[in-house]
Structure formats: C-alpha cells, structure tokens
Amino acid sequence: MSDLKPLFDNNRRWVAERLLDDPDYFKRLSELQAPKYLWIGCSDSRVPANQIIGLRPGEVFVHRNIANLVVHTDMNALSVIQYAVEYLKIEHIIVCGHYGCGGVKAAYENKELGLLDNWLRNIKDVYHAYNEELDAIPDPKAKMNRLCELNVVEQVSNVCHTTFVQNAWTKGQQLSVHGIIYDIHNGLLQDLSIRVKDAAQIENIYQMMPKKKTA
Ligand code: CO
C-alpha cells in the first residue's frame, strides 16, 4: 500500500475535485455508460486516450495494446469491439496510432524479444504488404513514421473485416471506422483521412453476406 500511497492521494484529490464541480458526478456516471466512441490505441504511457481527445470518464470506451493492433484471433480486442458495437452502440471506432511507437520500431528491427515477437510479427506483415513503398523511403525516421501510418491503415481494415462491424452496417446501424495518428513530439492528432462507413468500402474477399434465417 505504501508504494501506492501517492496514487491513492491523487485519487482522493481527483474525487474531491469532481464532487466540487458536480455533487452527483459519480452517481450519474455509475448509472449509465453511453460513450459514442471506441478508441483502439497503443499501450504507450504517453498516449492516454481521454486526455488527448479531451473526453471525460463515460465518454470513450478504450482498448489499448502494444502498437494498437486488431488481430483476428485476439479474443480480447474482438470482445471489446463486439461489446462496443452491439451493446454500447458506439457510433465511431477510432484506431489511433502514434509516431515514435516502440512496438513498430521493434518490429522493424531483427532482434529476438521473446513472446513479443509473435505480437510484433503482425507489424512485420504490414511492412511486407507495403515493402515497395517503405523500401523507397531513404530517411529512417520518415520510413518509421510511414510504417506507423500504414499500421493504422491495416488495423482499420481489420476492424472493418470483423463480422460485428459488418453486421452493424447490414442492420443500418450508424457506425464509422476512422484512422488517426498522434504525434508524441507535439501532442497533436492528425487525421489520416480514413473513414469507412459501409461494407462497400472493403475488399470483396472480406465482405460477409448476412446469414440466411432458417425456418
Ligand atoms: Co506505441
């Protein structure tokens, strides 16, 4: 406990500040969670979702992992997406990458890291998919920045390929998937101008036909 004392102190101060603004703050928050956004971002401690986009508790549903990946065998990320789409009925899924991502950098290198290698392998696959474009960039920093962006592009696609997202579109649910990137050097978000709003925007091979109802 003593090791965590500063954190508990911070917490008590935070609660007091919230209650000063609004005595019903926690009562209201405990009764309803109705976020409009699902944030899929990197675990990097410098990329805290709520602070960056100025949203309060209750306003954004968050999933973070190393290098903001959406892997189609990852039950954790998939469960988050299903819950957010089907139950919370969020309207926007935001995949947010960031420049200077340690996960992306590690994936670019050839050092063996252990279990992590299996996770980072997904980013190596992104590199492989775009190797012509990336190999043509001479400046290592620019190359890495572009890999961070392309990783977002691919993760947006992975989100769109899930059955949950496609079923939502089929049902006419309003749902957009966005790709953005954060610059840890200046704190600014950049829109990568990726916005997917229906299944027609995804490659045919990944499109799912709605299940036929059996009598
Ligand atoms: Co990162």
Side-chain angles (χ1 to χ4, degrees):
M1 168 68 186
S2 61
D3 291 349
L4 298 183
K5 188 173 181 308
L7 306 190
F8 280 87
D9 291 345
N10 288 347
N11 169 255
R12 297 304 188 265
R13 208 172 312 122
W14 177 75
V15 170
E17 285 165 8
R18 297 288 79 72
L19 293 175
L20 201 64
D21 284 348
D22 175 2
D24 287 333
Y25 184 81
F26 292 102
K27 184 174 177 295
R28 257 189 310 104
L29 209 54
S30 66
E31 286 163 1
L32 182 70
Q33 148 160 263
K36 278 202 187 105
Y37 308 94
L38 163 62
W39 171 280
I40 299 175
C42 185
S43 297
D44 193 308
S45 61
R46 299 165 295 182
V47 194
N50 286 69
Q51 283 95 329
I52 289 174
I53 49 178
L55 293 182
R56 293 172 302 179
E59 294 181 332
V60 57
F61 199 61
V62 174
H63 178 75
R64 292 169 67 183
N65 61 39
I66 293 175
N68 41 270
L69 298 179
V70 176
V71 180
H72 61 268
T73 49
D74 176 10
M75 275 201 291
N76 186 351
L78 295 178
S79 300
V80 167
I81 295 170
Q82 182 189 2
Y83 184 70
V85 170
E86 292 184 6
Y87 295 92
L88 294 174
K89 301 265 192 282
I90 51 109
E91 293 171 19
H92 303 275
I93 300 177
I94 300 165
V95 176
C96 181
H98 70 103
Y99 296 125
C101 182
V104 171
K105 185 169 175 288
Y108 179 65
E109 293 167 351
N110 298 97
K111 283 184 224 143
E112 188 186 327
L113 301 170
L115 174 70
L116 262 173
D117 294 314
N118 301 283
W119 187 249
L120 300 179
R121 165 66 196 273
N122 295 291
I123 308 168
K124 288 183 186 285
D125 291 345
V126 173
Y127 193 103
H128 182 65
Y130 294 91
N131 60 0
E132 271 183 37
E133 178 186 339
L134 290 163
D135 285 347
I137 302 173
D139 176 49
K141 198 170 162 226
K143 192 198 294 271
M144 211 42 49
N145 285 349
R146 186 62 184 144
L147 181 55
C148 290
E149 293 173 357
L150 292 169
N151 183 44
V152 172
V153 171
E154 287 300 297
Q155 306 319 314
V156 166
S157 295
N158 290 343
V159 170
C160 296
H161 298 164
T162 62
T163 50
F164 324 121
V165 169
Q166 293 194 44
N167 287 340
W169 284 329
T170 303
K171 283 187 275 183
Q173 191 175 324
Q174 193 186 327
L175 179 64
S176 305
V177 186
H178 310 259
I180 65 176
I181 195 150
Y182 178 72
D183 192 337
I184 51 172
H185 303 98
N186 60 19
L188 294 173
L189 277 178
Q190 284 177 42
D191 193 350
L192 292 174
S193 300
I194 306 165
R195 186 158 180 251
V196 187
K197 292 193 300 180
D198 60 57
Q201 288 176 262
I202 64 180
E203 272 183 67
N204 203 39
I205 184 70
Y206 296 110
Q207 288 185 17
M208 298 283 171
M209 299 298 284
K211 258 189 284 185
K212 293 223 169 59
K213 287 210 173 74
T214 47

